[in-house]
Amino acid sequence: MTAQVVQKLRSDARDNRERILDVARATFAAEGLDVPMREIARRAQVGVATVYRRFPTKEALLTAAFAEQMATCVAVVEEGLAAADPWQGFCQVIEGLMAAHALDRSLARALASQYPQVFHFAESRDRALRGLAELVQRAREAGGLRTDVGVEDIVLALMANEGLRAASRETRVAASRRFAALMIQSFRADPVPAPLPPAVRLPLPVRP
């Protein structure tokens, strides 16, 4: 086998891997984490064996596909923890995570789930959740956050935000911004009416 042929095979393998990851990100973001590997292979136009050769388990595929997104979640939480005012840091994190999750339907599920067991993915998820727990505690102790609100409520809000449906990315982000403002008002220990971002017209579900 010539060096040129070897190089071509390596290039094809690299292209296949990137195509699988691109399809996985788009599919999991649009439809959630339950899409089977066989369907990922079909949409990437490669054989199922090719997918499993590069990603032996679905957890491995999820880890590779969402490493950057999970790093973003961790960065948003850590930026909130660095804020001088715990309540402002809390609000900043709610707004930042909801904006990210509005564009990626799978992240809220991944953050809440014990499904992805690959070490690096689980490590990033746990780091984000630990940061959220610390942020909740600080905001509560500072008197800004209701005493009965916990991390579970934040994840619940993120999963509700995940359900936003809109015709464009811009509309989803705008709707997410308003929803974040509504949730922040509900989380506040002493709710003070504040102007909300503009309302967004979303498509109503069609009855069967």
Side-chain angles (χ1 to χ4, degrees), residues 75-135:
V76 168
V77 172
E78 291 185 344
E79 188 175 344
L81 285 169
D85 183 291
W87 173 249
Q88 290 304 316
F90 176 84
C91 295
Q92 180 179 316
V93 168
I94 297 298
E95 292 166 351
L97 289 180
M98 284 195 173
H101 290 177
L103 299 177
D104 196 330
R105 291 181 56 202
S106 60
L107 282 183
R109 299 180 194 187
L111 191 62
S113 176
Q114 294 301 310
Y115 172 65
Q117 292 298 323
V118 174
F119 175 73
H120 295 297
F121 190 104
E123 182 184 41
S124 295
R125 183 196 59 220
D126 292 346
R127 185 176 172 186
L129 290 173
R130 284 195 303 271
L132 269 179
E134 183 177 350
L135 193 63

Side-chain angles (χ1 to χ4, degrees), residues 40-79:
I40 298 297
R42 186 187 70 79
R43 296 183 189 187
Q45 298 181 328
V46 298
V48 177
T50 298
V51 175
Y52 278 105
R53 189 158 53 248
R54 285 151 182 78
F55 308 101
T57 65
K58 194 171 184 180
E59 290 91 337
L61 177 58
L62 283 163
T63 298
F66 293 116
E68 183 177 344
Q69 289 88 334
M70 287 305 299
T72 297
C73 287
V74 171
V76 168
V77 172
E78 291 185 344
E79 188 175 344

